[in-house]
Amino acid sequence: MDNINKAKIKEIFSSIQGEGLYVGCKQIFIRFCACNLNCAYCDTDFYPDNINDKSDYFEFTPEELLKYLEDNFDINSTHSISLTGGEPLIWADFLKEFMPLVQKKYDILFYLETNATIDDNAKIILPYTDIIAGDVKLPSCSGIDVFDKHEKFYKVASEIRNNKGIWFNTKNNNFFVKVVFDDNITDDEITKTVNLAKKYGFEIIIQPRMIDDKISASKDTMLTVFEKFTKIYRNTRLIPQVHKFIDVE
Ligand code: SF4
């Protein structure tokens, strides 16, 4: 019987990671269609305009996707495969077949870029994941408040991390969150984010929002916000989106 477990994928490309703790690493990016959120700053054309127009996205079974990667990319010279979107955890049924398929054949890391709001699917996929690059969405910038969902997600992530010390190394650099902010960030949001980080043990990357490839927060805001975070949580880094400066995708 044919494998009908297919995922809709917007694009697949090889490039340089431009955000977070693995900035500069060579990755294969698999950008999945669809997302469960609707952030004000979302710049990702992640959903096909016309779901019936097959030219607007790829559709793969796990076996077909692995074959596509083997035919089009040099997997052995790549640091990690970035599962991104959209929201990749929407495709948990697909990923739970695809990830072990790759891991059986290749010594390559899986880097999960997630909005950190779907805890049920996290339970399925995080055991196959090497690096979690999650989000904390600030209402002042994203326009949505999902702190309750982040709480559930990061609880799951930290439990799996503690039980699976082999694939999460002893330092925290395989578990970090990105916090996109602008001049509207509030002290309450900083406190809530740091509380999550302390409770669940992740690093924080604060990332100024980009508008038209320019940093939207003022220099004063960036430095003030950085000081506020580090004062209560020293495992905080300020890293803008680097790939925009070297003009790569
Ligand atoms: S979580 Fe990411 S992909 Fe989804 S709406 Fe927000 S910015 Fe866009």
Side-chain angles (χ1 to χ4, degrees):
M1 208 174 99
D2 284 348
N3 186 342
I4 52 164
N5 184 8
K6 291 189 173 187
K8 290 187 172 61
I9 293 168
K10 181 71 186 169
E11 56 182 346
I12 305 172
F13 56 96
S14 176
S15 190
I16 303 165
Q17 176 57 246
E19 299 181 351
L21 290 186
Y22 289 81
V23 71
C25 287
K26 181 177 177 183
Q27 293 189 326
I28 296 169
F29 292 79
I30 303 175
R31 187 181 302 290
F32 288 86
C33 293
C35 186
N36 58 319
L37 301 182
N38 187 17
C39 305
Y41 53 69
C42 185
D43 60 357
T44 311
D45 177 19
F46 55 74
Y47 205 81
D49 296 332
N50 177 356
I51 202 77
N52 297 314
D53 178 1
K54 292 280 176 67
S55 65
D56 212 20
Y57 62 91
F58 301 92
E59 213 170 11
F60 287 117
T61 65
E63 294 80 11
E64 288 167 348
L65 180 55
L66 175 55
K67 173 88 171 57
Y68 183 89
L69 298 187
E70 288 173 327
D71 289 348
N72 291 279
F73 302 101
D74 181 4
I75 296 176
N76 290 319
S77 74
T78 302
H79 175 272
S80 41
I81 295 175
S82 172
L83 306 170
T84 186
E87 174 49 51
L89 286 182
I90 286 177
W91 302 96
D93 285 344
F94 173 88
L95 289 173
K96 76 178 182 206
E97 286 188 29
F98 172 68
M99 293 167 83
L101 207 59
V102 174
Q103 286 165 332
K104 250 184 247 162
K105 255 183 116 170
Y106 294 96
D107 182 21
I108 191 165
L109 303 175
F110 273 107
Y111 178 105
L112 175 68
E113 295 198 60
T114 174
N115 62 32
T117 57
I118 312 180
D119 59 302
D120 282 347
N121 290 1
K123 286 178 195 152
I124 301 168
I125 295 310
L126 294 192
Y128 303 109
T129 303
D130 300 288
I131 302 161
I132 300 176
D135 286 337
V136 167
K137 301 288 185 191
L138 304 182
S140 63
C141 190
S142 67
I144 53 172
D145 187 341
V146 285
F147 272 102
D148 55 337
K149 291 192 167 71
H150 288 327
E151 178 84 43
K152 289 182 187 160
F153 179 94
Y154 288 119
K155 184 170 188 295
V156 167
S158 78
E159 284 168 2
I160 291 176
R161 185 188 67 153
N162 291 337
N163 292 335
K164 297 268 185 181
I166 295 167
W167 53 270
F168 276 118
N169 70 23
T170 49
K171 292 187 185 146
N172 284 344
N173 62 0
N174 288 341
F175 185 21
F176 61 93
V177 306
K178 177 181 78 182
V179 186
V180 178
F181 71 98
D182 60 18
D183 289 334
N184 299 314
I185 187 170
T186 67
D187 289 350
D188 183 51
E189 289 174 329
I190 294 172
T191 306
K192 279 181 166 168
T193 304
V194 168
N195 286 346
L196 281 176
K198 286 181 175 170
K199 197 165 167 187
Y200 299 119
F202 52 72
E203 304 258 330
I204 294 176
I205 311 296
I206 55 171
Q207 180 179 295
R209 179 181 179 179
M210 302 288 282
I211 297 179
D212 296 334
D213 289 353
K214 290 207 171 62
I215 291 176
S216 71
S218 66
K219 183 179 165 189
D220 279 354
T221 297
M222 284 194 285
L223 296 179
T224 305
V225 168
F226 184 58
E227 284 304 318
K228 284 183 176 177
F229 268 99
T230 51
K231 201 170 174 102
I232 52 175
Y233 195 62
R234 71 175 77 179
N235 297 326
T236 302
R237 303 177 203 207
L238 170 65
I239 309 179
Q241 287 183 307
V242 171
H243 54 294
K244 307 239 164 147
F245 296 110
I246 54 173
D247 197 21
V248 296
E249 191 170 7

